[in-house]
Every structure is written in structure tokens, then in C-alpha cells.
Amino acid sequence: MANNIMVERETFESNGKTYFGYFIKGVVRGKDIRIQIVPPNKDTDKGGYNVLDVVFGDAMQAELVVKPFEMKGADGNIVKGNTYAVRSYDEDGEVYECPVKPARTSDKTFLNMLLR
């Protein structure tokens, strides 16, 4: 599994306001890819972007944390996967973390390829 993957952010304009977009850059099979990252409930909890702003602070990048999970489904089959978070540290070593997820199915596919 790949180590030390960073989530970056950049500003964009929409309806006269400035926002941050979050993404991971990587290379898969020689092709440059860009994976959009969003808070887990971006449609129902707009506060997730505020949490990301706190995690990033003044920085333009933060560490991606991959947390593997395994659970037994109702049918008895084992389901495996990953959850993701963005993590940073302040000058005193305090940890700031926010759950994130790939924005689209294609982003999820690319992230799985990048993590191989």
C-alpha cells in the first residue's frame, strides 16, 4: 500500500464567492490522475467543509489517513474496505482530523488503484 499520500487544496470561484476544492494527485500506469475528495455527508452536512478548513489551517496540504475495516455482512460474507480521513498537527503536536471520501465512483476507483 502506498504511504504518505497528501490531500491538497486549491481555491475556486463560484457565484462570486471563493471556496476550497480538495484533491489527491497521483500517477497510475504512467497516467496523471486527480482524485476529488469531499466530506462524507457533503450533501446534508455543509459543516464538513468547515471542519476541513480547521484541519488544513493555513496549509495547502494534509496527510491522507487510510483505515482498513472488515465486517461480516447479513449474508455471512466478509466485507473489506477502507475509510479515509485527512490529518494534520499543530505546532504543539495536537492532532486535527476529518473523515473524507472520494467524490465520485471514478475517484473511488482511482484511489483504490493508487493505494495498491
Side-chain angles (χ1 to χ4, degrees), residues 20-79:
F20 281 110
Y22 299 87
F23 61 93
I24 297 168
K25 291 191 293 190
V27 177
V28 174
R29 296 187 86 180
K31 181 173 177 63
D32 289 332
I33 60 169
R34 184 178 167 114
I35 303 162
Q36 185 178 353
I37 299 296
V38 295
N41 301 316
K42 74 176 187 83
D43 296 330
T44 58
D45 182 6
K46 299 298 184 196
Y49 287 101
N50 292 333
V51 177
L52 281 172
D53 286 342
V54 170
V55 171
F56 273 78
D58 293 331
M60 294 304 283
Q61 64 179 17
E63 170 189 13
L64 177 71
V65 179
V66 180
K67 300 175 183 180
F69 71 86
E70 188 174 299
M71 64 184 184
K72 187 179 253 184
D75 59 1
N77 290 328
I78 301 296
V79 177

Side-chain angles (χ1 to χ4, degrees), residues 69-112:
F69 71 86
E70 188 174 299
M71 64 184 184
K72 187 179 253 184
D75 59 1
N77 290 328
I78 301 296
V79 177
K80 295 180 182 181
N82 294 314
T83 61
Y84 307 99
V86 174
R87 181 185 296 159
S88 68
Y89 305 88
D90 70 10
E91 58 279 351
D92 296 325
E94 184 74 29
V95 178
Y96 294 87
E97 190 170 296
C98 177
V100 293
K101 69 177 186 177
R104 298 173 297 267
T105 302
S106 58
D107 293 314
K108 181 178 180 180
T109 302
F110 274 141
L111 186 53
N112 287 334

